[in-house]
Amino acid sequence: MQTIRVVETGDGWQVRCGDEVLLQDAAEEPCFTFALATSSRMFDAGMRYEVVLQRLDSLIVPVD
């Protein structure tokens, strides 16, 4: 199974598949919608993709 990531960056949002940037936008919703549509098209073609949302704040690891 491949992964399509919707990643928050300092400049907005990106949709990535591996190292390739498929879409970049200032808003989260268009990117997430695009990622879901891409995943759905791939599924119809017989390929399985998961969509992962990655926010900047999810990368912060709490310090004990």
Side-chain angles (χ1 to χ4, degrees):
M1 179 180 300
Q2 299 248 1
T3 301
I4 298 172
R5 294 181 298 132
V6 180
V7 181
E8 184 178 19
T9 68
D11 297 326
W13 292 85
Q14 292 182 341
V15 178
R16 298 180 187 165
C17 187
D19 292 332
E20 184 178 357
V21 176
L22 305 176
L23 178 72
Q24 185 161 341
D25 199 298
E28 173 187 356
E29 186 174 341
C31 286
F32 196 70
T33 301
F34 176 84
L36 290 174
T38 301
S39 174
S40 181
R41 281 194 308 276
M42 295 299 184
F43 182 79
D44 290 345
M47 296 176 276
R48 296 182 58 197
Y49 282 78
E50 65 181 349
V51 176
V52 176
L53 179 65
Q54 186 175 343
R55 297 182 185 275
L56 281 176
D57 58 4
S58 70
L59 302 176
I60 300 172
V61 178
V63 177
D64 292 334

